[in-house]
Amino acid sequence: MASLQLVVFDMAGTTVRDQHEVEACFAQAAAATGLRATAARILAAQGQAKRFVFEALWREQLGGGVRLSVLEAQVDESYHAFRRILEAYYRTAAVVPTAGCLELLAFLRGRGVRVALTTGFYRAVTDLLLHRLGWDAGLDTQYRGTAHSFIDLSVASDEVAAGRPAPLMIQKAMQVFGITDPQSVYNVGDTPSDLESGRRAGCARSLGVVNGTHTRQQLAACPNDGLFASLAELHQHLQAELVPA
């Protein structure tokens, strides 16, 4: 395996604590706009670009023969309701890192490994989260960091042609840093779509944490290269792997 150059982390549920708040906001927007969406269906779609999820659910509800204009109108209504609810939530609720996140990211950057954050969120709410956490300090207009910033890069789902489980956010991060070999990249997330995006990108490892939106049992059913109780446990694993004895 090539030496590790980049670790790509999901945000909500992986590096940012999420106790199913995003699912609750999604369910609230669906109910307000007449979209039927079970809790299980919403959970299964976590990690994916949210507008894509609304489109998929509305297609299921309206059937294959629905006019495109009708579908788009329903998707727009639900998605805009979700944006309002989600942004209002994150402006006032506590936004905190997950257990072990700060220490792990600092450790990786201290070892010369790049850290990129990817997300199923769109840029506006991604910026809101980064700002509430103070992680936007030092990022330039392209959301690339410096030696003094907390992260090296932020990529939102609306900045690529397709969100997860497509690998495009990971591939964009690789392109930014001039990395051509995916075997020098690890991917970390808390949802099936996170793990799948790492697999599709050809990452050396696509790893899961089970203290986010999905349990160990749920993630164990998905192809993965290791599941960890938290980023703190992953830190211990990587420290043993990267630091010579």
Side-chain angles (χ1 to χ4, degrees):
M1 186 185 74
S3 60
L4 183 60
Q5 298 184 57
L6 169 67
V7 181
V8 178
F9 292 90
D10 168 56
M11 291 188 69
T14 303
T15 53
V16 181
R17 189 178 68 189
D18 179 4
Q19 298 175 312
H20 298 280
E21 295 97 328
V22 177
E23 293 162 58
C25 291
F26 193 102
Q28 186 177 342
T33 56
L35 175 63
R36 296 188 297 271
T38 65
R41 187 71 175 84
I42 294 171
L43 175 63
Q46 288 304 296
Q48 301 175 21
K50 302 304 181 284
R51 184 182 176 84
F52 170 82
V53 178
F54 277 116
E55 181 176 343
L57 291 173
W58 271 115
R59 281 187 184 276
E60 291 174 10
Q61 182 165 322
L62 296 174
V66 64
R67 293 197 309 274
L68 181 60
S69 60
V70 173
L71 174 65
E72 289 180 344
Q74 296 286 12
V75 173
D76 284 345
E77 183 183 11
S78 293
Y79 183 58
H80 290 153
F82 172 72
R83 288 182 60 138
R84 288 193 303 271
I85 294 165
L86 186 71
E87 290 175 29
Y89 173 80
Y90 276 132
R91 287 191 189 100
T92 57
V95 179
V96 298
T98 56
C101 171
L102 301 182
E103 295 81 4
L104 174 56
L105 270 58
F107 164 74
L108 289 170
R109 298 195 78 223
R111 301 294 300 178
V113 178
R114 303 278 194 178
V115 168
L117 299 184
T118 61
T119 178
F121 291 138
Y122 50 95
R123 174 49 64 184
V125 81
T126 302
D127 283 351
L128 180 57
L129 284 171
L130 291 173
H131 184 68
R132 292 289 310 278
L133 290 160
W135 295 355
D136 57 345
L139 299 184
D140 65 17
T141 57
Q142 300 302 309
Y143 303 99
R144 182 168 176 171
T146 67
H148 305 291
S149 57
F150 182 68
I151 61 172
D152 293 294
L153 183 69
S154 164
V155 183
S157 64
D158 58 349
E159 295 168 340
V160 293
R164 303 188 192 108
L168 300 185
M169 287 192 288
I170 296 172
Q171 292 170 343
K172 178 174 179 176
M174 291 175 59
Q175 291 166 2
V176 166
F177 299 122
I179 297 170
T180 57
D181 184 2
Q183 286 295 295
S184 65
V185 180
Y186 287 4
N187 176 65
V188 184
D190 70 304
T191 70
S193 63
D194 294 335
L195 294 172
E196 177 65 11
S197 67
R199 190 191 68 80
R200 292 191 190 183
C203 293
R205 295 181 187 173
S206 197
L207 307 168
V209 289
V210 299
N211 62 333
T213 59
H214 286 67
T215 65
R216 183 178 295 274
Q217 183 179 10
Q218 288 168 328
L219 290 186
C222 309
N224 69 82
D225 300 300
L227 301 177
F228 298 87
S230 67
L231 292 184
E233 185 182 30
L234 177 58
H235 185 180
Q236 294 175 350
H237 176 83
L238 292 180
Q239 192 164 25
E241 178 181 322
L242 300 176
V243 179

mmCIF file of all heavy atoms in Angstrom, residues 42-87:
data_model
loop_
_atom_site.group_PDB
_atom_site.id
_atom_site.type_symbol
_atom_site.label_atom_id
_atom_site.label_comp_id
_atom_site.label_asym_id
_atom_site.label_seq_id
_atom_site.Cartn_x
_atom_site.Cartn_y
_atom_site.Cartn_z
ATOM 1 N N ILE A 42 -35.538 7.285 5.817
ATOM 2 C CA ILE A 42 -34.724 8.484 6.007
ATOM 3 C C ILE A 42 -33.339 8.107 6.513
ATOM 4 O O ILE A 42 -32.324 8.628 6.033
ATOM 5 C CB ILE A 42 -35.416 9.459 6.976
ATOM 6 C CG1 ILE A 42 -36.722 9.994 6.351
ATOM 7 C CG2 ILE A 42 -34.486 10.620 7.334
ATOM 8 C CD1 ILE A 42 -37.570 10.795 7.312
ATOM 9 N N LEU A 43 -33.282 7.191 7.470
ATOM 10 C CA LEU A 43 -31.999 6.754 7.996
ATOM 11 C C LEU A 43 -31.139 6.133 6.903
ATOM 12 O O LEU A 43 -29.941 6.402 6.806
ATOM 13 C CB LEU A 43 -32.200 5.741 9.129
ATOM 14 C CG LEU A 43 -30.924 5.109 9.698
ATOM 15 C CD1 LEU A 43 -30.039 6.163 10.331
ATOM 16 C CD2 LEU A 43 -31.277 4.018 10.708
ATOM 17 N N ALA A 44 -31.756 5.322 6.061
ATOM 18 C CA ALA A 44 -31.007 4.639 4.999
ATOM 19 C C ALA A 44 -30.380 5.615 4.018
ATOM 20 O O ALA A 44 -29.377 5.304 3.374
ATOM 21 C CB ALA A 44 -31.925 3.676 4.254
ATOM 22 N N ALA A 45 -30.952 6.818 3.920
ATOM 23 C CA ALA A 45 -30.461 7.811 2.960
ATOM 24 C C ALA A 45 -29.458 8.780 3.561
ATOM 25 O O ALA A 45 -28.965 9.671 2.856
ATOM 26 C CB ALA A 45 -31.639 8.591 2.382
ATOM 27 N N GLN A 46 -29.125 8.624 4.841
ATOM 28 C CA GLN A 46 -28.187 9.548 5.469
ATOM 29 C C GLN A 46 -26.825 9.459 4.787
ATOM 30 O O GLN A 46 -26.370 8.390 4.403
ATOM 31 C CB GLN A 46 -28.053 9.243 6.962
ATOM 32 C CG GLN A 46 -29.274 9.633 7.767
ATOM 33 C CD GLN A 46 -29.641 11.096 7.598
ATOM 34 O OE1 GLN A 46 -28.895 11.993 7.964
ATOM 35 N NE2 GLN A 46 -30.800 11.333 7.012
ATOM 36 N N GLY A 47 -26.185 10.610 4.654
ATOM 37 C CA GLY A 47 -24.901 10.698 3.982
ATOM 38 C C GLY A 47 -25.020 11.100 2.532
ATOM 39 O O GLY A 47 -24.045 11.569 1.934
ATOM 40 N N GLN A 48 -26.195 10.925 1.948
ATOM 41 C CA GLN A 48 -26.403 11.297 0.559
ATOM 42 C C GLN A 48 -26.801 12.764 0.456
ATOM 43 O O GLN A 48 -27.254 13.373 1.419
ATOM 44 C CB GLN A 48 -27.492 10.420 -0.061
ATOM 45 C CG GLN A 48 -27.182 8.937 -0.033
ATOM 46 C CD GLN A 48 -28.331 8.093 -0.554
ATOM 47 O OE1 GLN A 48 -29.198 8.579 -1.284
ATOM 48 N NE2 GLN A 48 -28.365 6.828 -0.186
ATOM 49 N N ALA A 49 -26.640 13.332 -0.737
ATOM 50 C CA ALA A 49 -27.070 14.708 -0.981
ATOM 51 C C ALA A 49 -28.577 14.785 -0.751
ATOM 52 O O ALA A 49 -29.342 13.978 -1.270
ATOM 53 C CB ALA A 49 -26.726 15.132 -2.401
ATOM 54 N N LYS A 50 -28.999 15.769 0.047
ATOM 55 C CA LYS A 50 -30.381 15.783 0.514
ATOM 56 C C LYS A 50 -31.386 16.039 -0.607
ATOM 57 O O LYS A 50 -32.474 15.457 -0.608
ATOM 58 C CB LYS A 50 -30.527 16.817 1.630
ATOM 59 C CG LYS A 50 -29.599 16.563 2.820
ATOM 60 C CD LYS A 50 -29.785 15.171 3.401
ATOM 61 C CE LYS A 50 -28.901 14.906 4.591
ATOM 62 N NZ LYS A 50 -27.494 14.645 4.244
ATOM 63 N N ARG A 51 -31.072 16.885 -1.555
ATOM 64 C CA ARG A 51 -32.016 17.117 -2.646
ATOM 65 C C ARG A 51 -32.234 15.835 -3.452
ATOM 66 O O ARG A 51 -33.361 15.535 -3.869
ATOM 67 C CB ARG A 51 -31.525 18.239 -3.559
ATOM 68 C CG ARG A 51 -32.539 18.571 -4.651
ATOM 69 C CD ARG A 51 -32.094 19.642 -5.612
ATOM 70 N NE ARG A 51 -33.085 19.793 -6.649
ATOM 71 C CZ ARG A 51 -34.177 20.538 -6.567
ATOM 72 N NH1 ARG A 51 -34.401 21.244 -5.478
ATOM 73 N NH2 ARG A 51 -35.045 20.607 -7.558
ATOM 74 N N PHE A 52 -31.165 15.085 -3.659
ATOM 75 C CA PHE A 52 -31.271 13.806 -4.362
ATOM 76 C C PHE A 52 -32.220 12.862 -3.629
ATOM 77 O O PHE A 52 -33.008 12.140 -4.245
ATOM 78 C CB PHE A 52 -29.883 13.177 -4.485
ATOM 79 C CG PHE A 52 -29.894 11.761 -4.977
ATOM 80 C CD1 PHE A 52 -29.981 11.480 -6.326
ATOM 81 C CD2 PHE A 52 -29.833 10.699 -4.077
ATOM 82 C CE1 PHE A 52 -30.006 10.156 -6.785
ATOM 83 C CE2 PHE A 52 -29.854 9.386 -4.517
ATOM 84 C CZ PHE A 52 -29.940 9.121 -5.878
ATOM 85 N N VAL A 53 -32.158 12.864 -2.290
ATOM 86 C CA VAL A 53 -33.020 11.988 -1.500
ATOM 87 C C VAL A 53 -34.478 12.407 -1.648
ATOM 88 O O VAL A 53 -35.369 11.563 -1.826
ATOM 89 C CB VAL A 53 -32.604 11.994 -0.023
ATOM 90 C CG1 VAL A 53 -33.543 11.119 0.806
ATOM 91 C CG2 VAL A 53 -31.163 11.516 0.132
ATOM 92 N N PHE A 54 -34.742 13.710 -1.574
ATOM 93 C CA PHE A 54 -36.120 14.177 -1.766
ATOM 94 C C PHE A 54 -36.638 13.779 -3.150
ATOM 95 O O PHE A 54 -37.791 13.355 -3.292
ATOM 96 C CB PHE A 54 -36.198 15.695 -1.602
ATOM 97 C CG PHE A 54 -36.311 16.144 -0.170
ATOM 98 C CD1 PHE A 54 -35.310 16.908 0.409
ATOM 99 C CD2 PHE A 54 -37.406 15.802 0.600
ATOM 100 C CE1 PHE A 54 -35.409 17.315 1.729
ATOM 101 C CE2 PHE A 54 -37.522 16.210 1.925
ATOM 102 C CZ PHE A 54 -36.513 16.963 2.487
ATOM 103 N N GLU A 55 -35.793 13.891 -4.162
ATOM 104 C CA GLU A 55 -36.228 13.526 -5.513
ATOM 105 C C GLU A 55 -36.564 12.037 -5.591
ATOM 106 O O GLU A 55 -37.586 11.643 -6.170
ATOM 107 C CB GLU A 55 -35.139 13.873 -6.533
ATOM 108 C CG GLU A 55 -35.548 13.538 -7.959
ATOM 109 C CD GLU A 55 -34.517 13.972 -8.980
ATOM 110 O OE1 GLU A 55 -33.649 14.808 -8.654
ATOM 111 O OE2 GLU A 55 -34.587 13.469 -10.119
ATOM 112 N N ALA A 56 -35.712 11.205 -4.989
ATOM 113 C CA ALA A 56 -35.959 9.765 -5.024
ATOM 114 C C ALA A 56 -37.264 9.407 -4.307
ATOM 115 O O ALA A 56 -38.056 8.588 -4.795
ATOM 116 C CB ALA A 56 -34.787 9.025 -4.393
ATOM 117 N N LEU A 57 -37.503 10.031 -3.159
ATOM 118 C CA LEU A 57 -38.716 9.739 -2.396
ATOM 119 C C LEU A 57 -39.967 10.232 -3.111
ATOM 120 O O LEU A 57 -41.009 9.550 -3.108
ATOM 121 C CB LEU A 57 -38.615 10.361 -1.008
ATOM 122 C CG LEU A 57 -37.588 9.720 -0.071
ATOM 123 C CD1 LEU A 57 -37.457 10.524 1.211
ATOM 124 C CD2 LEU A 57 -37.972 8.282 0.241
ATOM 125 N N TRP A 58 -39.899 11.407 -3.718
ATOM 126 C CA TRP A 58 -41.054 11.915 -4.444
ATOM 127 C C TRP A 58 -41.343 11.059 -5.690
ATOM 128 O O TRP A 58 -42.505 10.832 -6.054
ATOM 129 C CB TRP A 58 -40.866 13.379 -4.826
ATOM 130 C CG TRP A 58 -41.350 14.331 -3.768
ATOM 131 C CD1 TRP A 58 -40.614 15.206 -3.025
ATOM 132 C CD2 TRP A 58 -42.704 14.494 -3.323
ATOM 133 N NE1 TRP A 58 -41.412 15.893 -2.146
ATOM 134 C CE2 TRP A 58 -42.704 15.480 -2.311
ATOM 135 C CE3 TRP A 58 -43.927 13.906 -3.674
ATOM 136 C CZ2 TRP A 58 -43.867 15.884 -1.652
ATOM 137 C CZ3 TRP A 58 -45.087 14.308 -3.023
ATOM 138 C CH2 TRP A 58 -45.049 15.287 -2.027
ATOM 139 N N ARG A 59 -40.304 10.560 -6.345
ATOM 140 C CA ARG A 59 -40.513 9.674 -7.502
ATOM 141 C C ARG A 59 -41.254 8.406 -7.068
ATOM 142 O O ARG A 59 -42.155 7.930 -7.763
ATOM 143 C CB ARG A 59 -39.174 9.297 -8.132
ATOM 144 C CG ARG A 59 -38.565 10.365 -9.017
ATOM 145 C CD ARG A 59 -37.329 9.855 -9.742
ATOM 146 N NE ARG A 59 -36.691 10.889 -10.515
ATOM 147 C CZ ARG A 59 -37.057 11.247 -11.743
ATOM 148 N NH1 ARG A 59 -38.073 10.615 -12.337
ATOM 149 N NH2 ARG A 59 -36.425 12.202 -12.377
ATOM 150 N N GLU A 60 -40.851 7.874 -5.912
ATOM 151 C CA GLU A 60 -41.517 6.675 -5.396
ATOM 152 C C GLU A 60 -42.984 6.963 -5.096
ATOM 153 O O GLU A 60 -43.867 6.154 -5.405
ATOM 154 C CB GLU A 60 -40.806 6.195 -4.133
ATOM 155 C CG GLU A 60 -39.423 5.643 -4.371
ATOM 156 C CD GLU A 60 -38.712 5.310 -3.074
ATOM 157 O OE1 GLU A 60 -39.369 5.328 -2.004
ATOM 158 O OE2 GLU A 60 -37.503 5.039 -3.112
ATOM 159 N N GLN A 61 -43.262 8.116 -4.491
ATOM 160 C CA GLN A 61 -44.621 8.429 -4.069
ATOM 161 C C GLN A 61 -45.524 8.772 -5.248
ATOM 162 O O GLN A 61 -46.704 8.380 -5.277
ATOM 163 C CB GLN A 61 -44.598 9.595 -3.079
ATOM 164 C CG GLN A 61 -45.973 9.960 -2.532
ATOM 165 C CD GLN A 61 -45.895 10.839 -1.310
ATOM 166 O OE1 GLN A 61 -45.019 10.660 -0.461
ATOM 167 N NE2 GLN A 61 -46.790 11.818 -1.202
ATOM 168 N N LEU A 62 -44.985 9.491 -6.235
ATOM 169 C CA LEU A 62 -45.812 9.961 -7.347
ATOM 170 C C LEU A 62 -45.897 8.959 -8.490
ATOM 171 O O LEU A 62 -46.800 9.046 -9.329
ATOM 172 C CB LEU A 62 -45.253 11.294 -7.871
ATOM 173 C CG LEU A 62 -45.307 12.464 -6.882
ATOM 174 C CD1 LEU A 62 -44.600 13.682 -7.461
ATOM 175 C CD2 LEU A 62 -46.740 12.811 -6.520
ATOM 176 N N GLY A 63 -44.960 8.027 -8.537
ATOM 177 C CA GLY A 63 -44.983 7.023 -9.598
ATOM 178 C C GLY A 63 -44.205 7.453 -10.825
ATOM 179 O O GLY A 63 -43.898 8.637 -11.018
ATOM 180 N N GLY A 64 -43.912 6.485 -11.670
ATOM 181 C CA GLY A 64 -43.052 6.734 -12.825
ATOM 182 C C GLY A 64 -43.675 7.619 -13.890
ATOM 183 O O GLY A 64 -42.950 8.200 -14.702
ATOM 184 N N GLY A 65 -44.991 7.726 -13.931
ATOM 185 C CA GLY A 65 -45.627 8.504 -14.980
ATOM 186 C C GLY A 65 -45.805 9.979 -14.665
ATOM 187 O O GLY A 65 -46.420 10.713 -15.454
ATOM 188 N N VAL A 66 -45.290 10.436 -13.541
ATOM 189 C CA VAL A 66 -45.483 11.829 -13.152
ATOM 190 C C VAL A 66 -44.754 12.772 -14.114
ATOM 191 O O VAL A 66 -43.670 12.473 -14.607
ATOM 192 C CB VAL A 66 -44.976 12.050 -11.709
ATOM 193 C CG1 VAL A 66 -43.480 11.809 -11.604
ATOM 194 C CG2 VAL A 66 -45.324 13.448 -11.217
ATOM 195 N N ARG A 67 -45.403 13.922 -14.418
ATOM 196 C CA ARG A 67 -44.753 14.925 -15.248
ATOM 197 C C ARG A 67 -43.544 15.506 -14.529
ATOM 198 O O ARG A 67 -43.557 15.707 -13.310
ATOM 199 C CB ARG A 67 -45.724 16.049 -15.603
ATOM 200 C CG ARG A 67 -46.861 15.616 -16.506
ATOM 201 C CD ARG A 67 -47.536 16.831 -17.157
ATOM 202 N NE ARG A 67 -47.893 17.839 -16.173
ATOM 203 C CZ ARG A 67 -49.032 17.845 -15.476
ATOM 204 N NH1 ARG A 67 -49.917 16.861 -15.652
ATOM 205 N NH2 ARG A 67 -49.304 18.810 -14.616
ATOM 206 N N LEU A 68 -42.504 15.784 -15.286
ATOM 207 C CA LEU A 68 -41.268 16.305 -14.707
ATOM 208 C C LEU A 68 -41.509 17.617 -13.969
ATOM 209 O O LEU A 68 -40.945 17.850 -12.882
ATOM 210 C CB LEU A 68 -40.213 16.508 -15.801
ATOM 211 C CG LEU A 68 -38.844 17.028 -15.330
ATOM 212 C CD1 LEU A 68 -38.219 16.061 -14.339
ATOM 213 C CD2 LEU A 68 -37.925 17.238 -16.530
ATOM 214 N N SER A 69 -42.360 18.466 -14.507
ATOM 215 C CA SER A 69 -42.624 19.765 -13.878
ATOM 216 C C SER A 69 -43.283 19.577 -12.513
ATOM 217 O O SER A 69 -42.985 20.309 -11.561
ATOM 218 C CB SER A 69 -43.506 20.626 -14.774
ATOM 219 O OG SER A 69 -44.756 19.985 -15.022
ATOM 220 N N VAL A 70 -44.169 18.586 -12.406
ATOM 221 C CA VAL A 70 -44.833 18.312 -11.128
ATOM 222 C C VAL A 70 -43.820 17.769 -10.129
ATOM 223 O O VAL A 70 -43.791 18.174 -8.956
ATOM 224 C CB VAL A 70 -45.992 17.308 -11.328
ATOM 225 C CG1 VAL A 70 -46.578 16.885 -9.983
ATOM 226 C CG2 VAL A 70 -47.071 17.908 -12.219
ATOM 227 N N LEU A 71 -42.997 16.840 -10.584
ATOM 228 C CA LEU A 71 -41.968 16.270 -9.704
ATOM 229 C C LEU A 71 -41.037 17.357 -9.186
ATOM 230 O O LEU A 71 -40.768 17.440 -7.981
ATOM 231 C CB LEU A 71 -41.172 15.211 -10.465
ATOM 232 C CG LEU A 71 -39.963 14.627 -9.726
ATOM 233 C CD1 LEU A 71 -40.413 13.843 -8.501
ATOM 234 C CD2 LEU A 71 -39.140 13.749 -10.661
ATOM 235 N N GLU A 72 -40.548 18.195 -10.084
ATOM 236 C CA GLU A 72 -39.597 19.225 -9.678
ATOM 237 C C GLU A 72 -40.225 20.208 -8.698
ATOM 238 O O GLU A 72 -39.555 20.664 -7.755
ATOM 239 C CB GLU A 72 -39.065 19.968 -10.909
ATOM 240 C CG GLU A 72 -38.131 19.120 -11.762
ATOM 241 C CD GLU A 72 -37.619 19.863 -12.970
ATOM 242 O OE1 GLU A 72 -38.207 20.914 -13.330
ATOM 243 O OE2 GLU A 72 -36.634 19.385 -13.571
ATOM 244 N N ALA A 73 -41.486 20.533 -8.880
ATOM 245 C CA ALA A 73 -42.163 21.451 -7.969
ATOM 246 C C ALA A 73 -42.258 20.859 -6.566
ATOM 247 O O ALA A 73 -42.030 21.551 -5.566
ATOM 248 C CB ALA A 73 -43.552 21.798 -8.507
ATOM 249 N N GLN A 74 -42.584 19.578 -6.487
ATOM 250 C CA GLN A 74 -42.684 18.920 -5.176
ATOM 251 C C GLN A 74 -41.312 18.822 -4.504
ATOM 252 O O GLN A 74 -41.174 19.052 -3.300
ATOM 253 C CB GLN A 74 -43.285 17.525 -5.348
ATOM 254 C CG GLN A 74 -44.708 17.510 -5.859
ATOM 255 C CD GLN A 74 -45.712 17.926 -4.777
ATOM 256 O OE1 GLN A 74 -45.357 18.435 -3.730
ATOM 257 N NE2 GLN A 74 -46.982 17.699 -5.037
ATOM 258 N N VAL A 75 -40.300 18.463 -5.291
ATOM 259 C CA VAL A 75 -38.939 18.363 -4.745
ATOM 260 C C VAL A 75 -38.473 19.716 -4.241
ATOM 261 O O VAL A 75 -37.913 19.827 -3.138
ATOM 262 C CB VAL A 75 -37.972 17.810 -5.811
ATOM 263 C CG1 VAL A 75 -36.526 17.867 -5.299
ATOM 264 C CG2 VAL A 75 -38.340 16.381 -6.183
ATOM 265 N N ASP A 76 -38.706 20.759 -5.021
ATOM 266 C CA ASP A 76 -38.300 22.112 -4.617
ATOM 267 C C ASP A 76 -38.956 22.508 -3.300
ATOM 268 O O ASP A 76 -38.299 23.052 -2.400
ATOM 269 C CB ASP A 76 -38.676 23.135 -5.698
ATOM 270 C CG ASP A 76 -37.753 23.089 -6.901
ATOM 271 O OD1 ASP A 76 -36.671 22.489 -6.796
ATOM 272 O OD2 ASP A 76 -38.130 23.658 -7.950
ATOM 273 N N GLU A 77 -40.250 22.239 -3.175
ATOM 274 C CA GLU A 77 -40.970 22.620 -1.964
ATOM 275 C C GLU A 77 -40.403 21.903 -0.738
ATOM 276 O O GLU A 77 -40.144 22.525 0.301
ATOM 277 C CB GLU A 77 -42.452 22.299 -2.113
ATOM 278 C CG GLU A 77 -43.281 22.730 -0.913
ATOM 279 C CD GLU A 77 -44.745 22.351 -1.031
ATOM 280 O OE1 GLU A 77 -45.094 21.562 -1.938
ATOM 281 O OE2 GLU A 77 -45.547 22.824 -0.195
ATOM 282 N N SER A 78 -40.193 20.607 -0.851
ATOM 283 C CA SER A 78 -39.665 19.836 0.282
ATOM 284 C C SER A 78 -38.240 20.239 0.612
ATOM 285 O O SER A 78 -37.874 20.403 1.789
ATOM 286 C CB SER A 78 -39.715 18.336 -0.022
ATOM 287 O OG SER A 78 -41.035 17.880 -0.111
ATOM 288 N N TYR A 79 -37.423 20.403 -0.408
ATOM 289 C CA TYR A 79 -36.009 20.736 -0.189
ATOM 290 C C TYR A 79 -35.862 22.124 0.435
ATOM 291 O O TYR A 79 -35.050 22.317 1.349
ATOM 292 C CB TYR A 79 -35.255 20.648 -1.508
ATOM 293 C CG TYR A 79 -33.771 20.904 -1.382
ATOM 294 C CD1 TYR A 79 -32.981 20.121 -0.549
ATOM 295 C CD2 TYR A 79 -33.156 21.920 -2.116
ATOM 296 C CE1 TYR A 79 -31.615 20.346 -0.444
ATOM 297 C CE2 TYR A 79 -31.798 22.145 -2.016
ATOM 298 C CZ TYR A 79 -31.031 21.361 -1.179
ATOM 299 O OH TYR A 79 -29.684 21.596 -1.075
ATOM 300 N N HIS A 80 -36.639 23.074 -0.029
ATOM 301 C CA HIS A 80 -36.561 24.426 0.552
ATOM 302 C C HIS A 80 -37.058 24.421 1.997
ATOM 303 O O HIS A 80 -36.499 25.126 2.850
ATOM 304 C CB HIS A 80 -37.361 25.409 -0.301
ATOM 305 C CG HIS A 80 -36.739 25.673 -1.633
ATOM 306 N ND1 HIS A 80 -37.459 26.046 -2.746
ATOM 307 C CD2 HIS A 80 -35.452 25.592 -2.048
ATOM 308 C CE1 HIS A 80 -36.651 26.195 -3.771
ATOM 309 N NE2 HIS A 80 -35.432 25.923 -3.373
ATOM 310 N N ALA A 81 -38.087 23.632 2.282
ATOM 311 C CA ALA A 81 -38.553 23.515 3.670
ATOM 312 C C ALA A 81 -37.453 22.905 4.544
ATOM 313 O O ALA A 81 -37.201 23.359 5.670
ATOM 314 C CB ALA A 81 -39.813 22.654 3.733
ATOM 315 N N PHE A 82 -36.791 21.877 4.029
ATOM 316 C CA PHE A 82 -35.697 21.240 4.766
ATOM 317 C C PHE A 82 -34.575 22.235 5.036
ATOM 318 O O PHE A 82 -34.043 22.300 6.151
ATOM 319 C CB PHE A 82 -35.166 20.050 3.966
ATOM 320 C CG PHE A 82 -33.918 19.446 4.544
ATOM 321 C CD1 PHE A 82 -33.959 18.712 5.715
ATOM 322 C CD2 PHE A 82 -32.698 19.608 3.897
ATOM 323 C CE1 PHE A 82 -32.803 18.153 6.250
ATOM 324 C CE2 PHE A 82 -31.544 19.047 4.418
ATOM 325 C CZ PHE A 82 -31.594 18.318 5.598
ATOM 326 N N ARG A 83 -34.211 23.011 4.051
ATOM 327 C CA ARG A 83 -33.135 23.998 4.233
ATOM 328 C C ARG A 83 -33.492 24.997 5.334
ATOM 329 O O ARG A 83 -32.662 25.313 6.188
ATOM 330 C CB ARG A 83 -32.858 24.726 2.914
ATOM 331 C CG ARG A 83 -32.165 23.872 1.879
ATOM 332 C CD ARG A 83 -31.862 24.648 0.614
ATOM 333 N NE ARG A 83 -30.989 25.789 0.870
ATOM 334 C CZ ARG A 83 -29.978 26.143 0.081
ATOM 335 N NH1 ARG A 83 -29.704 25.443 -1.001
ATOM 336 N NH2 ARG A 83 -29.242 27.192 0.361
ATOM 337 N N ARG A 84 -34.720 25.475 5.309
ATOM 338 C CA ARG A 84 -35.128 26.443 6.333
ATOM 339 C C ARG A 84 -35.049 25.818 7.731
ATOM 340 O O ARG A 84 -34.523 26.432 8.673
ATOM 341 C CB ARG A 84 -36.556 26.929 6.062
ATOM 342 C CG ARG A 84 -36.705 27.852 4.870
ATOM 343 C CD ARG A 84 -38.069 28.530 4.871
ATOM 344 N NE ARG A 84 -39.170 27.569 4.879
ATOM 345 C CZ ARG A 84 -39.713 27.066 3.769
ATOM 346 N NH1 ARG A 84 -39.242 27.407 2.582
ATOM 347 N NH2 ARG A 84 -40.724 26.224 3.845
ATOM 348 N N ILE A 85 -35.570 24.623 7.859
ATOM 349 C CA ILE A 85 -35.611 23.949 9.166
ATOM 350 C C ILE A 85 -34.199 23.626 9.644
ATOM 351 O O ILE A 85 -33.846 23.863 10.810
ATOM 352 C CB ILE A 85 -36.469 22.669 9.066
ATOM 353 C CG1 ILE A 85 -37.930 23.040 8.802
ATOM 354 C CG2 ILE A 85 -36.345 21.836 10.326
ATOM 355 C CD1 ILE A 85 -38.785 21.878 8.335
ATOM 356 N N LEU A 86 -33.377 23.087 8.754
ATOM 357 C CA LEU A 86 -32.026 22.677 9.128
ATOM 358 C C LEU A 86 -31.157 23.876 9.510
ATOM 359 O O LEU A 86 -30.458 23.855 10.528
ATOM 360 C CB LEU A 86 -31.381 21.917 7.974
ATOM 361 C CG LEU A 86 -30.020 21.299 8.283
ATOM 362 C CD1 LEU A 86 -30.162 20.123 9.237
ATOM 363 C CD2 LEU A 86 -29.334 20.838 6.989
ATOM 364 N N GLU A 87 -31.203 24.925 8.715
ATOM 365 C CA GLU A 87 -30.371 26.097 8.999
ATOM 366 C C GLU A 87 -30.809 26.776 10.284
ATOM 367 O O GLU A 87 -29.968 27.224 11.080
ATOM 368 C CB GLU A 87 -30.402 27.061 7.813
ATOM 369 C CG GLU A 87 -29.668 26.508 6.599
ATOM 370 C CD GLU A 87 -29.799 27.394 5.374
ATOM 371 O OE1 GLU A 87 -29.950 28.623 5.533
ATOM 372 O OE2 GLU A 87 -29.743 26.855 4.242
#
